[in-house]
Amino acid sequence: MKVRQAFLDVPFGLRVTGYTGRGKSTLLNNIIDLYEEDMNTRFTIFDPKVDFPSAEYPNYKVYRGTRRCVDNIGMIGDTVTNRQDYKVLNDEQGVRIPAQHKLPKLFLIDECKDIHDAAAAADEELKASERYHVKEFKRSIQKGLEVGRGLLVRVLYSTVTPDSSDFGFKNSVFKQSATVFVGDQCYEALGTKSQYLTSVSDSKKAQLRQEYNARVSSDDERDNFIALFFNGLSNEVFFFAPPAPDAWKTHSKKTDNRQVAESIAEPKSLQKNSESLGL
């Protein structure tokens, strides 16, 4: 299916951004299933709010609560750096790469802003010259997004807003990952003054705004929830219907919810629109 393949083809990290209650966590859980199946490994989860559904299941390495997330977020950047170093040593000196650095690694960061804000609060307790938490947060996230995929490291993360300044990042940092805008943020991303889809032509954005309005006013229940996928590298952009926020039941066994990932698919109405828009 087009949507599933678009997720698998993401060259670096994948970000899901949307306001509370729009279904971010449900969508993330479905993407988790897709990526774990593709790379045959489990995610390491950073769960600052202690409410992420998959963190309730066994067999996951989970850092729960803002403090544990802040204290351990550096492992993403460290993993990438170590793999880079070993690759150089292997290429130049024939040094054997340790087995653990040949295996795929998946990281999920839920609610990045909460971890960033907790890191900033931790720094406030230190002398200015000793502050390192925010710097480490930014280093690790950026490292994972920029070069992780080529080293079998995939980073999946969520934000409440698409504004990179919330994290002290330049806009170019988030451009290192594909983005899924959920709910209201679809239209914000397509605004005439939006800074998020700068490589998309004005005519294309106008077509997508027209499609957004049609879906919002549609009687089709599949249009009650809407998401916009954008891959800045390939310039691929399209709407799709994500699962409803309650599609993931935390009291059920995860294996019973595998079929929910199938709902990350284009509804028939979208297929018609996609054809007319040349998607």
Side-chain angles (χ1 to χ4, degrees):
M1 290 184 291
K2 175 182 177 180
V3 178
R4 292 168 65 86
Q5 193 59 49
F7 282 122
L8 292 175
D9 289 343
V10 169
F12 298 109
L14 176 68
R15 177 172 61 134
V16 176
T17 177
Y19 299 122
T20 301
R22 301 308 194 271
K24 285 200 311 297
S25 293
T26 304
L27 177 57
L28 283 166
N29 270 293
N30 283 274
I31 300 172
I32 282 175
D33 282 355
L34 184 64
Y35 283 179
E36 288 182 344
E37 181 178 337
D38 181 54
M39 298 183 74
N40 195 31
T41 190
R42 292 281 192 179
F43 271 87
T44 294
I45 299 175
F46 294 88
D47 179 25
K49 287 188 173 180
V50 199
D51 63 357
F52 192 77
S54 284
E56 305 264 337
Y57 292 89
N59 303 319
Y60 281 100
K61 178 67 175 178
V62 183
Y63 295 100
R64 307 184 79 213
T66 53
R67 189 69 207 196
R68 292 192 70 206
C69 289
V70 169
D71 289 345
N72 293 280
I73 196 71
M75 74 162 50
I76 300 173
D78 291 344
T79 297
V80 174
T81 297
N82 288 335
R83 292 188 175 202
Q84 284 181 306
D85 291 344
Y86 273 115
K87 189 176 188 309
V88 170
L89 289 172
N90 179 261
D91 291 343
E92 296 181 351
Q93 303 175 30
V95 174
R96 185 178 63 84
I97 299 176
Q100 68 266 30
H101 290 307
K102 294 181 180 180
L103 299 174
K105 286 289 287 186
L106 295 172
F107 293 102
L108 167 71
I109 311 164
D110 191 32
E111 303 294 0
C112 267
K113 192 175 190 314
D114 284 0
I115 301 176
H116 171 271
D117 291 350
D123 277 345
E124 288 298 319
E125 299 174 2
L126 303 173
K127 296 178 181 179
S129 60
E130 299 174 349
R131 294 172 182 172
Y132 68 93
H133 294 94
V134 170
K135 183 178 180 180
E136 179 69 352
F137 169 86
K138 293 169 67 175
R139 176 197 74 87
S140 190
I141 301 294
Q142 190 163 348
K143 197 75 172 177
L145 295 180
E146 289 180 346
V147 295
R149 181 71 186 277
L151 299 166
L152 294 180
V153 176
R154 192 194 292 265
V155 180
L156 175 61
Y157 64 114
S158 75
T159 61
V160 177
T161 74
D163 191 350
S164 58
S165 64
D166 284 347
F167 311 87
F169 283 138
K170 295 179 180 179
N171 287 331
S172 59
V173 173
F174 283 171
K175 288 180 180 178
Q176 296 294 335
S177 55
T179 298
V180 176
F181 301 90
V182 180
D184 319 44
Q185 289 187 14
C186 295
Y187 199 80
E188 294 176 24
L190 292 167
T192 55
K193 296 182 179 180
S194 169
Q195 60 178 319
Y196 307 119
L197 278 69
T198 54
S199 59
V200 178
S201 68
D202 290 341
S203 60
K204 182 65 174 180
K205 284 192 281 190
Q207 289 177 327
L208 290 167
R209 284 195 294 272
Q210 183 179 14
E211 181 179 349
Y212 176 84
N213 289 330
R215 292 177 65 110
V216 169
S217 60
S218 170
D219 293 330
D220 189 334
E221 63 179 17
R222 290 170 298 185
D223 289 328
N224 291 339
F225 301 98
I226 183 172
L228 178 70
F229 175 90
F230 175 61
N231 183 338
L233 188 65
S234 65
N235 219 29
E236 184 175 20
V237 56
F238 56 82
F239 284 110
F240 68 97
D246 62 353
W248 184 274
K249 303 297 186 182
T250 58
H251 61 267
S252 301
K253 293 181 180 179
K254 186 179 179 197
T255 52
D256 291 338
N257 283 278
R258 279 287 186 178
Q259 71 275 16
V260 177
E262 296 298 326
S263 61
I264 308 180
E266 295 175 281
K268 293 180 180 178
S269 59
L270 177 55
Q271 292 172 2
K272 293 179 181 178
N273 287 332
S274 296
E275 291 174 1
S276 63
L277 297 179
L279 292 176

